[in-house]
Amino acid sequence: MTDFSIGSIHHGFILKRKEQVAEISSEVFLFEHQVLGTPALAIKNSDPNKTFCFAFQTVPNDNTGVAHILEHSVLVGSKKYPVQDIFGEIHKGGLMTFLNAMTGADTTWYPFATRNLSEYFSIMDVYCDVVLNPILARSTFEQEGWHYHKESQGAPLEFQGVVLNEMKGAFGDPTRALFQNTFAGLMPESTYAQESGGDPACIPALSYEQFIEFHRKHYHPSNGMLFFYGDADLEQELAAVQDKFLCTYTSAGEKAKIVPGRTIAKPVFIDDTYAVQPGSNLKGKTYLAVGTAIGTLLDRELTTAFQIIANILYNSDASPLKKAIVEAGLGKDFGGMFITDHCFQTVMLTYLVGSDADKRDRFLELHRQALTQIAEQGLEHDLVLSELNHYEFSVREELTHAQRGLDLIGKALTALQHGADPFAALEIDQLFAAVRRKALEEQYFEQLIQSTLLDSPTFAAVTLRPDPDKATRTQQEEQRRLAAYEQTLDPAQVQSLIATTQELMRLQQTPNTEEQLALVPRLARKDLECRPPMHSASTEVCGSVECISSELDTNGITYVQFGLDCAAIGPDLLPYLDLFATIATEIGTSKRDYVRFAKDINICTGGFSHSFSTYHHLESKAQLLPLLWFQIKALSGYLPQALDLVREVFADVNLSNRQRIKEIVLREFTWAEHSVQSEGYQLAASRVFAHLSRAGMINEHVNGATAYLTLKELAANYDKQEEQFLAKIERLRQLVLQPADMKIAVTGSAADIGTIKAQINEIKQSLLGSTPQPAEMLFPQFAEQQAFTTSADVVYNVQGCNLFTNPKQYDGTFEVLKTWLSRDYLWNTVRQLGGAYGCFVQFHPVSGNFALISFRDPQVSKTYAAYEAIAAAVKELDLSHAKLDQLIIGAYGSLNPLRSPAAEGVKARDAYLCGITPEHRQQILEQLIDTEAAALRGFAPLFAQLTTNSFKATIGSSEKIRANAELFNAVVEL
């Protein structure tokens, strides 16, 4: 056995410290490279989900997004792996449970995780080589970052690039502007005043030479940090990075310096705008925010305390501050957060959504008054207790996450980077106990509110106003820049630009050779476990209620879902169902008003929420089960109290508080509108699936565009429609809160499952509604090709059809084809060639419904052309044995993912309700492993339906949609 004693040297690394950290059941080692000074932190335990990360301190000095573009670009290919898009090739065919790279404000990190030991060391080799020895060709910079794009003499000149289009989509989210302005205001001229992801207006200012220099300066191992997690051999891990990579460096490099910027001495007021559609009603559309610098990451007790204080002040319905702001009518919603993962400085941020610019001063005044009252009079004991308990629950639940290693690495990384203790960052129990005691006995939180929020002379106040002309101005400015550049080109230079564009497109469409692909580390079919463990739920009828249980190790947490049949709800009420459920989980009962209810939920549970699902059964597509799930999670010791709360809601939900209901409606619309304008692809997908099945149509009415437009109309005319709306939610209460065909699903220990089963009859008796008759489902007809316009600068294109009219047409070989579509065909045509940030497939095996979805896409017609060319591409699909094996392994990994216990329980529940047995899943897996290329080509005729019997929906940029108006039967402004 290797002697890991302090001071011992292992493959160029000297062990500086090691400790057994009981809270995470791990032994933790901190090494430092003898020559380079590179720290390496290893968290070793029995978790088979081995996780590796190489992170670098990347410090931007402008808004060109160079760190973000580099993050994308290094993954394209390296000296050892000169493969076009090595990341994509690995993604096509591996068993990884996580594979990604992320750019933060001052860090870029490259993590992955896998349960396969051979794959772990293979991908570690790839990740180390791509970050330290990338090829970084100019064509890679142009594809991933930006380039001038002109395909022919008559074609328009455009800016194109994957990161450019990703950030155009990201900048459609106004909350991003709130964050960026807050940090720029609190830390002017600092690293954190820059937009590390890249401002779309600034990205084209980045040169290829600057891009190369940024890598040279920031990607030296001395500026990096290494992390290992899981059950792999530590000696082998250290050897893998030293013997193949770090040993080639003979001297240490420099560590990039974070620029702290200026310290502000007085309040800063920032006024900015965000885009809304022309003609929009601007009233009640302003965002207001206040940011305050609190401390640094070195003060862990202060940081822990403020994470809880933020929830007390901003997010609990029992917060006196929140109550004062909301009741003053200054906005539609009030919230906030304590930010610890952005930089060394910690920041408290509070925001008011759905307000007006002229309410800023009143907001600041009322905010200070309420905080002063809290500091002077104290916080109510139960409010403090509720948020302490809620925080403790979240800490306990975090240890059950599927990617536990990634969570722990993230905590240690931030500490290690900024000079804090990475070992302490992995522990919380002792620290939290001290915070709990001081909060409950010494008014600790009130003292901190006074000393940091009230006594601080500085803050940043941001006003973000809606601007109906901003999108047009942005587009016009981009066109002006392009026209100005084009005017500088003589005819020969124009032809050269066209040739360069065509060459880039040729490279993007040129597949890797077999020789190149042979360099990619791969598993083989024989490495796949033919009969992997498959969890399935147990079922039992308890008092006429079907109980679906999953006995799993949940770290003492029980997850309970109560499924209530919604077959009696017709199209007139379905658009209000989600709103009713939201109200029911918040409004309280006759015994507890919403304030008391919020406290008790957080004292006794980890959350009370809802979701909606429709289930087709494998043996009968006509069998449809729509269920509204009310779900609660609680520690075992609080389970009886949690069940009491659920029973009380079922028997006595109180819908008499009109003012609170109105506040919830307006809040829900404000956030729904925000989501639609920034990332609305779900609405387009929902509208497409509505055409394909009754389940899709029901989902469209509950969570899709129909529900959104209903909510929009209600929020705009609430006072006029209030009586009708209240009558509808009362009717929904009667139709939903009734016991017929009720299901209960439980995930937890055997003892807790037994506790639930023993109380099923009492829970059922709390549902007082009478058994209703199924509703007649007469739904409206939607346009077959539809577009929804928003203020976004990009679009999301969805096209779908019913591929399998009989569920038994589907088999495991289709999973292999689906993997090829997502990770090869769409990746190459829609992302690489079209410039979209991403494109993926949604497929429901039981219904046979299939859709293609592009993400942050600059194209409309080109993307739909790529979709409609799939039938021909599948027909001509010619795969070598190596490529086929690669896809089979990738598909196998997708069908056998790593899940948390809670997610595993939900998956088993849904499989049971759809009639998917373990035997069926095993059959699909065996068919997948035995796939032959000819079987894939056999699916080609089915894809002809994408041209003859499909439905389209695009959401996003009104300019791009108008330019492609001939593709759509109807256009709706959202």
Side-chain angles (χ1 to χ4, degrees):
M1 180 179 286
T2 303
D3 175 27
F4 285 108
S5 56
I6 303 301
S8 60
I9 297 173
H10 307 267
H11 302 280
F13 288 90
I14 182 168
L15 180 60
K16 308 292 285 186
R17 182 179 171 187
K18 73 171 181 177
E19 289 182 17
Q20 190 74 36
V21 182
E23 288 180 34
I24 59 171
S25 304
S26 302
E27 190 170 17
V28 182
F29 303 80
L30 178 61
F31 298 88
E32 184 178 285
H33 196 273
Q34 284 182 292
V35 175
L36 304 173
T38 308
L41 188 85
I43 304 170
K44 306 310 295 178
N45 50 44
S46 60
D47 191 343
N49 190 44
K50 293 159 275 289
T51 308
F52 171 79
C53 178
F54 207 154
F56 297 89
Q57 186 155 296
T58 48
V59 184
N61 58 13
D62 57 30
N63 293 324
T64 59
V66 58
H68 186 190
I69 295 170
L70 196 55
E71 172 231 305
H72 279 239
S73 300
V74 300
L75 297 171
V76 171
S78 66
K79 292 180 181 177
K80 186 174 181 181
Y81 300 101
V83 179
Q84 175 66 20
D85 190 18
I86 181 65
F87 177 85
E89 290 297 333
I90 291 173
H91 187 228
K92 284 178 196 174
L95 301 178
M96 306 79 57
T97 61
F98 186 88
L99 183 76
N100 210 339
M102 293 88 83
T103 303
D106 57 15
T107 312
T108 306
W109 46 321
Y110 297 85
F112 76 88
T114 178
R115 291 168 288 187
N116 184 281
L117 184 64
S118 173
E119 185 174 68
Y120 177 65
F121 284 105
S122 293
I123 300 180
M124 185 188 299
D125 195 70
V126 173
Y127 262 41
C128 288
D129 202 59
V130 297
V131 296
L132 298 175
N133 307 304
I135 293 174
L136 300 182
R138 184 179 289 272
S139 59
T140 297
F141 169 72
E142 292 175 345
Q143 173 182 281
E144 299 299 323
W146 78 277
H147 66 277
Y148 288 110
H149 190 92
K150 189 176 178 68
E151 295 185 12
S152 63
Q153 190 69 44
L157 179 65
E158 301 172 313
F159 288 128
Q160 279 294 0
V162 171
V163 169
L164 176 66
N165 291 317
E166 177 189 351
M167 296 311 297
K168 283 184 175 182
F171 267 54
D173 183 351
T175 59
R176 188 182 188 95
L178 278 187
F179 278 87
Q180 191 60 33
N181 278 308
T182 298
F183 280 98
L186 291 173
M187 291 168 268
E189 300 169 20
S190 73
T191 294
Y192 307 107
Q194 310 299 337
E195 174 51 77
S196 61
D199 183 333
C202 301
I203 288 173
L206 179 66
S207 71
Y208 174 65
E209 291 71 25
Q210 291 169 322
F211 164 78
I212 294 294
E213 175 61 18
F214 193 88
H215 181 270
R216 186 199 66 76
K217 182 177 179 181
H218 290 85
Y219 278 63
H220 191 283
S222 297
N223 191 45
M225 298 169 281
L226 287 161
F227 299 89
F228 310 100
Y229 169 89
D231 68 353
D233 183 80
L234 178 55
E235 189 84 13
Q236 285 184 260
E237 290 172 316
L238 295 171
V241 295
Q242 166 65 12
D243 298 350
K244 297 180 182 179
F245 299 100
L246 303 190
C247 67
T248 63
Y249 294 83
T250 57
S251 61
E254 292 185 8
K255 190 172 180 66
K257 299 290 192 299
I258 292 172
V259 180
R262 289 188 293 108
T263 300
I264 60 174
K266 60 182 181 180
V268 174
F269 296 89
I270 300 167
D271 191 52
D272 198 1
T273 62
Y274 72 98
V276 295
Q277 292 198 80
S280 296
N281 180 2
L282 305 184
K283 185 170 177 56
K285 295 290 179 67
T286 293
Y287 293 74
L288 302 174
V290 181
T292 307
I294 299 298
T296 72
L297 293 170
L298 298 177
D299 193 336
R300 293 191 65 237
E301 183 176 288
L302 183 74
T303 296
T304 302
F306 264 99
Q307 287 175 318
I308 301 162
I309 290 170
N311 283 329
I312 290 174
L313 295 179
Y314 304 139
N315 300 322
S316 171
D317 282 344
S319 162
L321 172 61
K322 184 170 185 174
K323 195 167 185 289
I325 298 290
V326 171
E327 290 183 355
L330 297 180
K332 306 295 192 310
D333 193 29
F334 172 75
M337 64 197 71
F338 183 58
I339 305 169
T340 63
D341 57 358
H342 188 75
C343 61
F344 181 60
Q345 183 88 53
T346 57
V347 171
M348 189 73 118
L349 177 69
T350 180
Y351 54 79
L352 186 62
V353 181
S355 188
D356 295 290
D358 60 6
K359 295 177 180 174
R360 184 199 69 184
D361 292 345
R362 176 60 181 148
F363 169 53
L364 295 176
E365 178 187 16
L366 191 55
H367 182 261
R368 185 170 185 82
Q369 285 175 358
L371 288 179
T372 300
Q373 187 174 357
I374 289 169
E376 292 175 351
Q377 299 179 9
L379 290 161
E380 190 201 8
H381 176 275
D382 278 3
L383 173 57
V384 175
L385 177 64
S386 72
E387 293 304 332
L388 285 166
N389 283 10
H390 192 256
Y391 179 81
E392 185 175 16
F393 181 95
S394 68
V395 169
R396 176 80 67 89
E397 187 175 40
E398 195 174 74
L399 294 176
T400 71
H401 288 178
Q403 295 300 340
R404 181 169 175 257
L406 197 63
D407 289 343
L408 294 173
I409 286 171
K411 292 178 180 180
L413 187 155
T414 305
L416 198 59
Q417 178 186 17
H418 295 292
D421 182 353
F423 290 78
L426 299 173
E427 300 177 291
I428 190 62
D429 287 356
Q430 188 174 350
L431 178 64
F432 179 70
V435 171
R436 177 185 279 275
R437 180 187 60 77
K438 292 168 72 173
L440 292 174
E441 299 175 9
E442 301 176 14
Q443 290 204 316
Y444 180 44
F445 290 168
E446 292 88 341
Q447 294 167 22
L448 291 178
I449 289 168
Q450 181 67 53
S451 62
T452 58
L453 296 179
L454 289 169
D455 293 347
S456 173
T458 63
F459 58 82
V462 180
T463 302
L464 191 65
R465 294 176 289 103
D467 184 349
D469 300 320
K470 184 165 188 171
T472 300
R473 286 199 311 274
T474 300
Q475 291 159 3
Q476 289 175 343
E477 174 58 21
E478 181 173 291
Q479 291 305 312
R480 185 198 64 76
R481 292 172 66 185
L482 288 166
Y485 174 74
E486 195 163 20
Q487 286 174 3
T488 67
L489 304 179
D490 60 31
Q493 290 170 320
V494 170
Q495 287 303 316
S496 176
L497 174 58
I498 293 170
T500 301
T501 301
Q502 290 294 333
E503 174 60 15
L504 178 60
M505 294 171 66
R506 185 191 67 77
L507 289 172
Q508 290 169 329
Q509 296 175 80
T510 302
N512 286 301
T513 65
E514 289 299 322
E515 291 73 21
Q516 286 175 304
L517 292 175
L519 299 172
V520 180
R522 291 175 178 167
L523 299 174
R525 279 200 226 194
K526 62 181 177 60
D527 297 318
L528 301 179
E529 190 175 357
C530 293
R531 301 189 70 86
M534 290 187 186
H535 171 71
S536 60
S538 300
T539 60
E540 181 182 349
V541 176
C542 303
S544 77
V545 174
E546 194 166 30
C547 183
I548 307 162
S549 58
S550 289
E551 185 181 335
L552 295 168
D553 182 4
T554 55
N555 199 26
I557 298 170
T558 306
Y559 299 86
V560 193
Q561 301 111 34
F562 306 89
L564 304 179
D565 187 12
C566 294
I569 302 172
D572 59 327
L573 292 177
L574 283 172
Y576 300 94
L577 181 61
D578 186 72
L579 201 50
F580 162 74
T582 300
I583 293 167
T585 55
E586 296 183 25
I587 198 69
T589 66
S590 298
K591 296 177 183 176
R592 308 171 212 243
D593 66 10
Y594 77 91
V595 173
R596 181 71 249 175
F597 185 73
K599 293 174 193 170
D600 290 342
I601 282 291
N602 280 350
I603 288 173
C604 302
T605 83
F608 183 36
S609 59
H610 73 279
S611 61
F612 178 79
S613 299
T614 51
Y615 299 94
H616 278 296
H617 199 277
L618 186 63
E619 297 303 320
S620 172
K621 282 184 71 172
Q623 186 177 330
L624 181 64
L625 179 64
L627 291 178
L628 177 64
W629 294 101
F630 285 99
Q631 47 223 19
I632 201 157
K633 52 187 178 180
L635 296 174
S636 297
Y638 278 108
L639 188 56
Q641 296 96 314
L643 294 176
D644 285 344
L645 287 169
V646 174
R647 278 197 298 267
E648 191 173 312
V649 169
F650 284 174
D652 189 32
V653 62
N654 185 2
L655 301 177
S656 65
N657 189 337
R658 290 176 171 237
Q659 180 58 34
R660 183 59 187 154
I661 289 173
K662 179 179 179 179
E663 290 166 359
I664 291 172
V665 169
L666 297 182
R667 179 198 73 199
E668 289 299 295
F669 172 67
T670 298
W671 287 113
E673 184 179 41
H674 165 267
S675 176
V676 165
Q677 296 294 331
S678 56
E679 299 286 358
Y681 72 88
Q682 300 95 335
L683 294 195
S686 175
R687 184 55 62 94
V688 165
F689 280 111
H691 290 281
L692 303 179
S693 69
R694 191 159 60 98
M697 184 63 82
I698 291 172
N699 287 326
E700 158 67 18
H701 278 68
V702 175
N703 289 312
T706 300
Y708 172 76
L709 292 169
T710 300
L711 179 58
K712 179 180 180 180
E713 170 69 16
L714 176 63
N717 302 284
Y718 189 84
D719 291 338
K720 291 180 181 179
Q721 297 184 13
E722 183 178 40
E723 295 301 330
Q724 290 175 301
F725 171 65
L726 293 177
K728 286 174 178 173
I729 61 170
E730 171 58 30
R731 180 60 180 148
L732 282 168
R733 184 188 67 79
Q734 296 168 8
L735 293 172
V736 173
L737 301 182
Q738 53 82 28
D741 295 323
M742 179 185 182
K743 318 286 183 190
I744 292 183
V746 192
T747 302
S749 68
D752 288 342
I753 291 171
T755 298
I756 300 295
K757 288 180 178 178
Q759 298 198 35
I760 282 179
N761 276 334
E762 291 181 45
I763 295 167
K764 181 179 178 182
Q765 289 166 11
S766 67
L767 293 162
L768 304 177
S770 57
T771 303
Q773 294 298 314
E776 188 177 6
M777 296 293 186
L778 297 176
F779 291 106
Q781 293 295 311
F782 299 126
E784 294 183 358
Q785 326 293 335
Q786 190 155 25
F788 301 97
T789 63
T790 72
S791 56
D793 206 16
V794 289
V795 295
Y796 305 81
N797 299 302
V798 183
Q799 185 166 350
C801 66
N802 181 253
L803 274 185
F804 301 107
T805 55
N806 182 344
K808 301 198 173 169
Q809 291 176 287
Y810 160 77
D811 63 27
T813 60
F814 185 74
E815 292 297 325
V816 179
L817 183 63
K818 185 156 66 77
T819 301
W820 174 78
L821 282 170
S822 295
R823 303 181 189 179
D824 190 309
Y825 179 82
L826 294 172
W827 180 270
N828 293 332
T829 57
V830 178
R831 185 192 184 276
Q832 307 284 69
L833 196 56
Y837 179 46
C839 190
F840 57 95
V841 170
Q842 276 192 2
F843 173 67
H844 304 290
V846 176
S847 67
N849 294 334
F850 173 92
L852 305 148
I853 303 171
S854 71
F855 192 78
R856 294 181 184 170
D857 192 347
Q859 313 290 347
V860 178
S861 60
K862 284 185 178 180
T863 297
Y864 283 122
Y867 292 167
E868 295 188 359
I870 286 175
V874 172
K875 184 178 180 181
E876 300 299 323
L877 188 58
D878 183 19
L879 298 172
S880 66
H881 289 299
K883 285 183 181 179
L884 179 60
D885 281 3
Q886 179 187 34
L887 294 171
I888 287 171
I889 292 163
Y892 180 99
S894 297
L895 277 191
N896 187 33
L898 180 69
R899 299 186 183 93
S900 69
E904 194 71 60
V906 170
K907 182 68 176 177
R909 176 200 77 185
D910 291 348
Y912 168 74
L913 291 173
C914 289
I916 299 173
T917 64
E919 293 76 18
H920 176 77
R921 291 162 61 195
Q922 179 62 38
Q923 181 184 38
I924 294 296
L925 205 61
E926 291 171 2
Q927 292 165 342
L928 183 159
I929 293 172
D930 293 337
T931 296
E932 298 295 337
L936 302 183
R937 292 191 291 272
F939 289 109
L942 297 178
F943 284 100
Q945 294 177 85
L946 281 173
T947 55
T948 61
N949 192 29
S950 69
F951 303 90
K952 297 188 181 82
T954 291
I955 187 170
S957 165
S958 57
E959 181 189 42
K960 293 183 185 299
I961 286 170
R962 284 197 303 270
N964 293 273
E966 72 282 356
L967 295 177
F968 307 108
N969 307 131
V971 176
V972 176
E973 182 180 311
L974 292 180

